[in-house]
Amino acid sequence: MSDFFLRTPEKHPLTWRIRDDHKPTWLKEYQNKNGYVALRKAFKFMSCHEIVSLVQNSGLRGRGGAGFPTGAKWSMITSQPDQENIRYLLCNADEMEPGTYKDRLLMETSPHLLIEGILIAAYTLKANRGYIFLRYEYVYAASCLSRAIQEATAAGLIGTNILGSGFNFELYLHTGAGRYICGEETALINSLEGKRPIPRAKPPFPADVGLWGRPTCVNNVETLCNIPAIIENGVSWYRSISKSSSKDTGTKLMGFSGRVNNPGIWELPFGISAREILEDYAGGMRSGLFLKAWQPGGASTAFFTSDHLDIGMDFEKVSIAGSRIGTAIAMAVDNKINMVSLVRNLEEFFSRESCGFCTPCRDGLPWIVKLLVSLEEKTGYYEDIKILEELCYVLGPGKTFCAHAPGAMEPLQSALKYFMEEFEDGVLNKFIVNTRQIW
Ligand code: SF4
């Protein structure tokens, strides 16, 4: 392995323990590599409020895609009085964003890192029960987590009076039935309760009324995996490992897929440019191809073009440029791919995964798919493009109950913006014009 890809504890808190053969790091090896040191430090020397302050000051933001500050989320729970002290910590491992598999990497290679993060979070939030809500297709990750939970339980790290702290905690692995919407925290809570997984109205927020009506915190896998290193090494170190040009702190699992020479995931500092990831890590586009477009962080993020490759990969810079960093697992679109077909494929997914609760999303997404199919088959009308533009508005931010529909509109709207000529290529009859509005 060249020095370029060497992982170190100082720069790669999430991945430095990963074995070269990518087999899971089990308990003994994890402990030999400083595993559970942060947990002992937190339990022995830190109060819950100190840990919340530390996480707040670290600047850690949720890694599931939305980027909500983790310390602020935790402080909402700890500030809630709860006489019965029944609280839940949920780990969102329902990774269903097309093209994204970063949480899977962590669960399959470093299951104890996740468990350590969960234990520190649960201790801080005074949650005595936790669930890992896992995407059901992740069969191997489920077996890795099950074994790691057994090992941690046998070692007294899960159970009663953990490390003599008086803290009790039970951890359960729950595999979902496979719905994209379960990645939304309130739909995940409904699903755990055995109900139809539709998002809940907020407020009340899960911090007040969550799982079975009790205060609940939902954190993503990668977010929780950051916690041990922050506890162990402190705020200044954590803030120093991202690029100085970035307001975001720490590292992020980032990647590039598509027809690149070396598709993959790497732990990289926030602020690194997309061009560096594509060219230095992913090895550039395959021979004979060039980059036409790319999505920075999953199927629900707006397309960029090759003109945007020098954007620094962090929440703010990607947002200013017109998209979202999302999961930071980027997808390269090459010149052989037709944008209408690609967007049709994405919208079929979003249409299938709509929970059906609200009309614009339930009925609008299949309509969009039909229009895109007609353009793909070159039997569309000019009016179809106008209707697509109007549907982008009707399903856009603030028009539906949750963010699923607006997320589904981001790739469509950006493809219309940058690649209109490919949509117009699908028009059979250019003489029929838009005569009505749909809203
Ligand atoms: S926007 Fe779609 S996924 Fe979200 S609540 Fe409405 S129907 Fe369900």
Side-chain angles (χ1 to χ4, degrees), residues 390-402:
E390 289 173 8
L391 283 167
C392 284
Y393 172 79
V394 174
L395 276 72
K399 309 287 191 312
T400 57
F401 193 65
C402 86

Side-chain angles (χ1 to χ4, degrees), residues 108-363:
E108 290 182 354
T109 59
S110 307
H112 280 288
L113 177 63
L114 176 59
I115 292 173
E116 186 175 6
I118 288 174
L119 282 165
I120 296 170
Y123 166 77
T124 308
L125 303 173
K126 300 189 179 75
N128 291 116
R129 183 172 290 198
Y131 292 88
I132 302 174
F133 189 104
L134 183 70
R135 176 180 175 172
Y136 87 108
E137 290 101 331
Y138 283 3
V139 177
Y140 182 57
S143 77
C144 296
L145 289 168
S146 296
R147 174 169 163 180
I149 291 170
Q150 279 174 12
E151 285 185 331
T153 305
L157 297 164
I158 295 174
T160 52
N161 192 22
I162 299 168
L163 301 176
S165 64
F167 176 63
N168 308 323
F169 184 69
E170 298 163 40
L171 179 60
Y172 298 96
L173 179 65
H174 176 96
T175 47
R179 296 300 293 174
Y180 179 69
I181 198 64
C182 288
E184 199 279 338
E185 62 179 9
T186 56
L188 184 153
I189 290 169
N190 269 343
S191 178
L192 262 180
E193 290 182 357
K195 296 174 184 158
R196 182 179 165 196
I198 54 174
R200 293 180 180 179
K202 292 190 267 189
F205 291 92
D208 293 321
V209 182
L211 187 63
W212 293 300
R214 311 304 311 183
T216 299
C217 181
V218 186
N219 286 136
N220 166 260
V221 170
E222 188 186 349
T223 312
L224 289 164
C225 286
N226 274 277
I227 301 296
I230 294 172
I231 299 289
E232 204 182 334
N233 303 313
V235 165
S236 317
W237 163 80
Y238 192 71
R239 287 183 165 273
S240 74
I241 54 176
S242 58
K243 292 221 164 193
S244 55
S245 57
S246 175
K247 281 188 187 164
D248 288 308
T249 57
T251 59
K252 176 85 192 73
L253 292 183
M254 303 195 204
F256 245 103
S257 63
R259 284 188 271 204
V260 296
N261 283 310
N262 182 32
I265 294 179
W266 304 273
E267 184 179 5
L268 299 168
F270 274 114
I272 188 171
S273 75
R275 186 183 299 282
E276 283 174 273
I277 306 174
L278 177 64
E279 292 178 0
D280 299 343
Y281 290 86
M285 300 303 294
R286 285 194 209 160
S287 172
L289 299 174
F290 62 83
L291 184 78
K292 182 165 90 172
W294 58 288
Q295 282 182 303
S300 61
T301 57
F303 285 105
F304 281 144
T305 68
S306 54
D307 292 339
H308 297 96
L309 274 179
D310 292 312
I311 289 171
M313 291 287 281
D314 66 28
F315 287 95
E316 186 187 50
K317 295 194 185 82
V318 175
S319 165
I320 289 170
S323 186
R324 292 181 298 113
I325 192 168
T327 61
I329 308 300
M331 182 184 72
V333 181
D334 61 72
N335 53 305
K336 297 263 163 92
I337 294 175
N338 178 276
M339 293 306 289
V340 178
S341 300
L342 175 57
V343 174
R344 189 264 306 148
N345 190 310
L346 297 178
E347 299 304 335
E348 271 180 356
F349 170 81
F350 291 119
S351 173
R352 191 177 67 236
E353 294 299 330
S354 165
C355 82
F357 181 72
C358 47
T359 308
C361 177
R362 182 188 60 239
D363 293 349

Side-chain angles (χ1 to χ4, degrees), residues 52 55-56 60-80 87-92 121 124-125 183-186 188-189 202 205-208 215-221 223-224:
V52 172
V55 173
Q56 269 178 325
L60 174 67
R61 295 176 68 163
R63 305 293 200 239
F68 192 81
T70 305
K73 199 176 214 184
W74 286 14
S75 68
M76 288 177 202
I77 297 264
T78 50
S79 60
Q80 296 303 315
R87 299 165 173 198
Y88 296 101
L89 178 75
L90 308 185
C91 170
N92 185 351
T124 308
L125 303 173
E184 199 279 338
E185 62 179 9
T186 56
L188 184 153
I189 290 169
K202 292 190 267 189
F205 291 92
D208 293 321
T216 299
C217 181
V218 186
N219 286 136
N220 166 260
V221 170
T223 312
L224 289 164

